[in-house]
Amino acid sequence: MTKFKGFTLAEVLITLGIIGVVAAMTMPTLINSTQGAQYKTGFKKALTVLSQAVVMNIALNDYDLSQVVAGTNATGITSAGTAAAGAQSLWDVFHNRLNIVRESGNGYTTTAGDANQWIIVSNTDKDDYEGFQGNHGGDAFPVLTAGQSWPAETTFLFMNDGITFIFDNRQDTCQKANTNIGVAADNYCYGFIDVNGQKAPNRVVQCDQGSLSGTAGDDDATCTVSSPTDIYPVALYDQSVIPASAASRAVLYNK
């Protein structure tokens, strides 16, 4: 007599059910971990690219971020509103030294259904940076709602790898305090790196503990980020582009 060995239908169904339950429990964590790693890599790459652009501009034009003038287009504009001969705005520095495939001003609105919809959310961890215009008197980087528009001087530079650099081109004289050369106070400029452009989640990175309060810079030790997102605030000064919040520093330094 020939005997056939195998699993019964009930056994197969039970096994598949167990596999399905385990997969349902682990897949979201795996996906979030993969996306977080991609965001972290994109942020580190963007910082390097922006820093290299500044260094290249110094080498070719002998012009660093402490010398930039306010401008709403390619031409630097003085405080009196006239073109500054030979001067550069932030737009000049980065547009000329990055591989830009597209750029835009404030054409990005948040009207429901708009093809240009771009809403930045969860921008609450502002303890380490003064806001959208840095020390230049502006409000915090806007968290837009339906129907609102970006400030007129907002500049979007879209790079060929999908990264977008967002900044206010009215900022000028981006420099760190240095009493040796007569600079009494920090005058950082600020921007945001969006590592995947308009794609979701368009969420500013935050500490796991939420917004941390206190004096700027004193919250680094307590900030951890287990799920990096796609938007990172950065500070610009002299020859440097650095993370501008506890959360973005935590991602960069793997806290």
Side-chain angles (χ1 to χ4, degrees):
M1 181 180 295
T2 303
K3 293 185 178 180
F4 295 96
K5 296 182 179 180
F7 298 104
T8 66
L9 178 60
E11 290 172 332
V12 171
L13 291 177
I14 291 173
T15 302
L16 290 176
I18 293 173
I19 293 174
V21 171
V22 173
M25 294 173 60
T26 59
M27 284 302 293
T29 301
L30 180 61
I31 292 173
N32 288 338
S33 178
T34 301
Q35 289 179 334
Q38 291 175 342
Y39 296 149
K40 182 185 299 185
T41 301
F43 175 47
K44 292 180 179 180
K45 176 183 178 181
L47 274 180
T48 300
V49 169
L50 294 178
S51 298
Q52 289 175 341
V54 175
V55 172
M56 185 181 299
N57 200 67
I58 295 170
L60 297 179
N61 284 44
D62 194 25
Y63 214 90
D64 69 14
L65 298 174
S66 69
Q67 299 167 284
V68 297
V69 296
T72 56
N73 50 41
T75 303
I77 304 298
T78 66
S79 58
T82 58
Q88 288 186 309
S89 65
L90 284 175
W91 185 95
D92 287 299
V93 172
F94 291 107
H95 181 273
N96 294 339
R97 305 302 171 203
L98 295 174
N99 193 344
I100 303 299
V101 295
R102 185 164 61 96
E103 63 182 83
S104 177
N106 67 330
Y108 287 88
T109 64
T110 60
T111 305
D114 191 326
N116 289 329
Q117 185 173 1
W118 190 330
I119 302 176
I120 288 183
V121 295
S122 295
N123 182 31
T124 58
D125 192 2
K126 305 187 184 75
D127 298 318
D128 290 337
Y129 60 98
E130 290 193 25
F132 189 31
Q133 296 181 57
N135 294 339
H136 299 78
D139 296 327
F141 195 86
V143 180
L144 301 184
T145 58
Q148 292 182 320
S149 298
W150 296 97
E153 293 79 10
T154 308
T155 302
F156 298 80
L157 296 181
F158 301 86
M159 304 180 211
N160 64 339
D161 54 7
I163 295 172
T164 302
F165 182 41
I166 310 168
F167 60 96
D168 187 328
N169 206 36
R170 289 171 291 183
Q171 300 178 107
D172 60 10
T173 319
C174 315
Q175 58 188 337
K176 186 176 179 65
N178 187 342
T179 55
N180 294 328
I181 59 174
V183 180
D186 293 337
N187 194 51
Y188 292 162
C189 295
Y190 294 91
F192 278 74
I193 291 171
D194 189 338
V195 300
N196 62 352
Q198 282 186 260
K199 296 180 181 178
N202 289 336
R203 185 177 295 274
V204 178
V205 67
Q206 291 191 95
C207 303
D208 291 345
Q209 304 91 328
S211 180
L212 300 177
S213 60
T215 304
D218 68 352
D219 52 2
D220 290 359
T222 60
C223 179
T224 56
V225 179
S226 58
S227 298
T229 49
D230 57 341
I231 297 182
Y232 298 84
V234 291
L236 306 93
Y237 67 90
D238 300 324
Q239 303 177 21
S240 303
V241 181
I242 63 172
S245 73
S248 57
R249 282 192 292 274
V251 171
L252 181 63
Y253 303 121
N254 296 318
K255 290 184 179 180

